[in-house]
Amino acid sequence: MAVSDHVNLEQFMEGVKKRNPGQPEFVQAVHEVAQDIFEFMEDKVEYHEAQILRRIAEPDRIISFRVCWEDDNHNVRVQRGWRVQNNNAIGPYKGGIRFHPSVTESVLKFLAFEQTFKNSLTGLPMGGGKGGANFNPKGKSDAEVMRFCQSFMTELYRHIGPDTDVPAGDIGVGGREIGYMFGQYKRITNRWEGVLTGKGQEYGGSQMRPEATGYGAVYFLQNMMKHKGMDVEGHTAVISGSGNVATHAAEKITQLGGKVLTLSDSGGFIHDPDGIDQEKIDWVKHLKTVKRGRISEYADEFKGATFHEGRPWNVTADLALPCATQNELNEDEAKALVSNGCKGVSEGANMPTTLEGVKVFHDAKLMYGPGKAANAGGVAVSGLEMSQNSERISWNHERLGEMLTDLMKGIHEKCTEYGDQGDGYVDYVKGANIAGFKKVADAMLAFGVV
Ligand code: NDP
Ligand code: 2IT
């Protein structure tokens, strides 16, 4: 059968939409990948015949479960939890857990789908998965968060394992939550094993894991800039978010001689024209992980800084790092960045830019590093945490720092291999999609029809 006899992109996407009603985030993520993969597959009949993309876009399984817990006032509360095990062709399912009221099956399916390509890009043996719950940790006591995490793990434990599925953190899941979940897994199974990553340093967590996503996103940016003969030093940056990824991205930009102008949360953003230096970043980390406060408090603490509702993309800067959540940078905001002279965008978050926004960046030939490449440093160091746990050893901070730097350089190289447009412009979306797809697809071909 000739390639032309197989479904085209439009027919494929019609099918995806029909099979996944009411799941816009998932359809968006598949569309973004399918555009490039259909072009890549143009002359590759074997991928069409084996229906590889269709199979990757159909999760291996989705586990959905009730999570009951009791709040401090003894009210019984009911949440919904999920684990989406998207694809384990090249390694155990791997990907974070998100606790946020906006979590739906569509959001977790998009994240698990993206994770499959991201994990492939790292070069490490990890498949793609994602989980979470529509639980809002904001305003909850530590005891409430603990009870929720324990209840969540009481169901999840039977579906995961160090060679099966290894979750980690994501929005709303940091060191505290991983600790509670790991404790419960260990208690139920009576096994100490590397079933979660992002663990505390005292109990098997890897050095460099907390920093890895944010630092990695800046390393990716640095690689893109170097490719163009530029450097981070002396450049200004707008960053969204104020959690794990945003604060570590800000830290690395600052260390490299750049100046960070903004951080944000779901309430709005702060603009500090003097720059958010290390001391201020440490203050934000404490605010967010210990005091669990709001970013607006920054403007009360540091003079010269102002708080604004909305998102930071209209602030003029050379670089932009969206590090909060999906679809937080739309077409108009992308246009504002471009017309204000922004030169490079590196996504710490997953799918933060809408499809229309991405088109604006491409049309402007801006350096644009999509999340599945730019934020892969986090899961890459998670992969190294798995290796250390299996070997029962721990590597030092310096060694892991070097490994992270090399991994991000390797991802950048893979993206340029498939994304170089021949005129000096690198389409990093295309590069990441094709390089990520190829490894998974070839593994799936080897397995036959399963
Ligand atoms: P955190 O929970 O540490 O921080 C999330 C930040 O984003 C907070 O500032 C939060 O504000 C803000 N935010 C969350 N949801 C929204 C929303 N709907 N609108 C506006 N702001 C929002 O999460 P992380 O830093 O870990 O994750 C940030 C992004 O990075 C996510 O897209 C995640 O998937 C991605 N990522 C994370 C990795 C990791 O290792 N942690 C690895 C790779 C990607 P508020 O406090 O108001 O909720
Ligand atoms: O989106 C991501 O890559 C993560 N949340 C981290 C996943 C992981 O397993 O470390």
Side-chain angles (χ1 to χ4, degrees):
M1 216 186 252
V3 168
S4 56
D5 295 334
H6 294 281
V7 293
N8 60 30
L9 174 63
E10 285 68 36
Q11 292 163 329
F12 175 79
M13 283 313 303
E14 270 316 301
V16 171
K17 278 182 206 151
K18 227 181 252 166
R19 287 190 297 276
N20 301 280
Q23 303 201 332
E25 296 86 0
F26 178 66
V27 171
Q28 180 184 343
V30 175
H31 190 192
E32 193 241 60
V33 168
Q35 292 179 129
D36 293 323
I37 299 308
F38 267 83
E39 198 187 310
F40 173 67
M41 293 194 303
E42 224 159 68
D43 55 350
K44 297 177 182 64
V45 74
E46 66 276 20
Y47 294 140
H48 285 279
E49 279 183 359
Q51 301 264 19
I52 297 292
L53 190 58
R54 166 99 196 256
R55 283 156 65 184
I56 300 179
E58 193 66 48
D60 288 356
R61 70 185 64 75
I62 300 174
I63 300 136
S64 157
F65 49 96
R66 184 182 65 236
V67 187
C68 283
W69 58 287
E70 209 174 297
D71 69 21
D72 288 344
N73 296 320
H74 304 293
N75 298 307
V76 172
R77 310 282 290 263
V78 184
Q79 248 71 51
R80 187 172 299 170
W82 289 268
R83 186 71 183 166
V84 179
Q85 298 180 330
N86 194 69
N87 187 293
N88 68 352
I90 62 168
Y93 304 108
K94 179 87 196 88
I97 290 178
R98 178 177 291 192
F99 291 162
H100 194 271
S102 65
V103 166
T104 60
E105 195 169 299
S106 169
V107 167
L108 296 177
K109 277 171 71 180
F110 113 66
L111 288 163
F113 178 79
E114 286 279 292
Q115 197 83 45
T116 303
F117 298 87
K118 184 197 302 191
N119 293 2
S120 165
L121 272 177
T122 66
L124 300 172
M126 300 183 288
K130 203 85 184 190
N134 59 351
F135 170 72
N136 187 359
K138 271 194 209 106
K140 304 287 189 301
S141 69
D142 285 353
E144 288 176 321
V145 171
M146 180 185 76
R147 288 196 291 275
F148 180 80
C149 288
Q150 290 179 339
S151 183
F152 185 82
M153 185 52 87
T154 300
E155 174 59 34
L156 186 68
Y157 89 95
R158 66 186 92 242
H159 308 291
I160 60 176
D163 298 314
T164 308
D165 184 353
V166 184
D170 194 79
I171 293 177
V173 177
R176 175 182 63 170
E177 292 74 17
I178 292 289
Y180 292 147
M181 287 193 274
F182 187 75
Q184 183 72 348
Y185 179 89
K186 192 172 65 57
R187 175 202 213 178
I188 296 172
T189 61
N190 194 27
R191 291 174 74 87
W192 195 112
E193 53 194 7
V195 70
L196 296 175
T197 60
K199 301 185 289 301
Q201 308 285 317
E202 307 78 11
Y203 59 97
S206 177
Q207 296 275 345
M208 207 62 180
R209 178 61 188 89
E211 299 92 337
T213 312
Y215 281 18
V218 177
Y219 292 149
F220 194 84
L221 179 65
Q222 210 182 12
N223 277 290
M224 289 197 296
M225 293 180 85
K226 206 169 154 199
H227 196 72
K228 284 272 185 194
M230 295 163 69
D231 193 28
V232 173
E233 192 176 0
H235 288 102
T236 53
V238 279
I239 298 183
S240 65
S242 48
N244 171 275
V245 181
T247 51
H248 289 106
E251 192 165 287
K252 187 49 71 182
I253 290 276
T254 307
Q255 286 171 8
L256 294 175
K259 184 171 165 183
V260 178
L261 301 178
T262 67
L263 287 172
S264 74
D265 65 17
S266 47
F269 70 95
I270 52 100
H271 179 199
D272 187 344
D274 295 334
I276 304 171
D277 61 18
Q278 188 63 54
E279 199 188 321
K280 293 170 177 173
I281 294 168
D282 289 341
W283 185 90
V284 173
K285 283 184 184 172
H286 187 263
L287 172 78
K288 285 290 175 176
T289 59
V290 181
K291 274 183 69 190
R292 301 199 181 265
R294 311 303 302 153
I295 200 67
S296 56
E297 295 169 45
Y298 182 104
D300 304 326
E301 181 73 15
F302 299 106
K303 69 171 188 332
T306 47
F307 174 74
H308 309 264
E309 281 179 5
R311 305 190 286 221
W313 313 123
N314 285 294
V315 173
T316 299
D318 304 313
L319 307 167
L321 291 99
C323 296
T325 192
Q326 65 274 2
N327 293 329
E328 56 160 325
L329 202 169
N330 64 24
E331 183 177 12
D332 288 343
E333 291 163 323
K335 282 181 182 159
L337 282 170
V338 170
S339 65
N340 285 336
C342 179
K343 299 177 183 68
V345 176
S346 184
E347 295 183 339
N350 286 305
M351 206 171 73
T353 310
T354 62
L355 284 173
E356 297 77 18
V358 173
K359 187 168 182 314
V360 171
F361 293 150
H362 277 154
D363 290 349
K365 299 217 158 178
L366 191 114
M367 278 178 280
Y368 166 63
K372 66 170 76 67
N375 71 38
V379 75
V381 176
S382 276
L384 301 178
E385 183 169 326
M386 289 165 72
S387 304
Q388 293 170 81
N389 290 167
S390 299
E391 279 195 70
R392 310 225 184 278
I393 51 167
S394 49
W395 298 325
N396 67 27
H397 199 259
E398 193 188 356
R399 176 161 181 201
L400 283 151
E402 281 166 15
M403 289 169 100
L404 173 62
T405 312
D406 287 349
L407 279 157
M408 296 315 297
K409 191 162 171 257
I411 295 169
H412 180 268
E413 274 164 16
K414 281 184 201 143
C415 292
T416 42
E417 183 183 343
Y418 291 100
D420 197 330
Q421 299 301 284
D423 58 354
Y425 178 62
V426 181
D427 181 341
Y428 287 98
V429 178
K430 182 187 277 185
N433 284 339
I434 296 175
F437 171 80
K438 198 172 175 307
K439 185 174 171 189
V440 177
D442 290 345
M444 290 173 73
L445 283 180
F447 303 148
V449 182
V450 287

